[in-house]
Amino acid sequence: VVEWKDKASTDNDKYLISTAGELLKNKGVIYFYNSGYEQLKANKYNEATNELLKAYNISKGENIIYFLASCCEKSGDIGGAEKYYTEYDSSYPKGSYEETVLYNLCMIYNKTDKGRAK
């Protein structure tokens, strides 16, 4: 959809791209999220990250961002974990995972920037 969105020249092409975009927003994000969550539960962090990134590119929902950060952290991508935990903190300061996010950020910063961890 992203690749073809700007290339649609006819009304029919534009309609098809629009319909595909709506399908992705309504059902695709749920599919990718569920697939990523199942991979996460199976400790397949790289696969989970790939699926959750697909969901994230469609919708930056609370659970998607949190589980994406968690996958990054568990796979050793500390930079990615910090990025998504920070995004979660700024986007959902009263979210369900906020305490865990702040704790995890503190643990990450404790290894890299003790002042920031405090």
Side-chain angles (χ1 to χ4, degrees):
V1 169
V2 172
E3 182 180 334
W4 289 96
K5 185 171 114 179
D6 296 329
K7 295 178 184 176
S9 58
T10 68
D11 287 341
N12 190 47
D13 290 346
K14 292 174 185 176
Y15 174 77
L16 288 173
I17 296 297
S18 174
T19 302
E22 288 302 312
L23 182 62
L24 277 173
K25 287 178 189 173
N26 294 327
K27 295 188 179 189
V29 71
I30 294 167
Y31 173 82
F32 294 129
Y33 169 77
N34 287 336
S35 177
Y37 185 71
E38 290 301 316
Q39 296 293 331
L40 175 61
K41 288 190 327 188
N43 298 325
K44 296 179 179 178
Y45 304 121
N46 291 331
E47 293 88 343
T49 299
N50 290 335
E51 293 299 298
L52 290 167
L53 277 171
K54 292 173 189 175
Y56 175 85
N57 287 329
I58 300 167
S59 170
K60 293 172 178 40
E62 179 180 359
N63 289 349
I64 295 168
I65 297 171
Y66 174 75
F67 288 124
L68 186 53
S70 181
C71 283
C72 288
E73 183 177 18
K74 290 177 180 182
S75 69
D77 178 7
I78 302 306
E82 180 183 348
K83 172 186 172 185
Y84 294 114
Y85 282 139
T86 301
E87 181 177 346
Y88 182 96
D89 180 45
S90 65
S91 298
Y92 301 99
K94 295 183 184 201
S96 302
Y97 305 105
E98 180 64 7
E99 289 179 19
T100 303
V101 164
L102 292 176
Y103 175 81
N104 290 343
L105 278 171
C106 184
M107 293 292 97
I108 290 170
Y109 294 145
N110 193 42
K111 295 175 184 171
T112 59
D113 185 349
K114 294 209 186 276
R116 195 168 184 189
K118 291 177 184 180

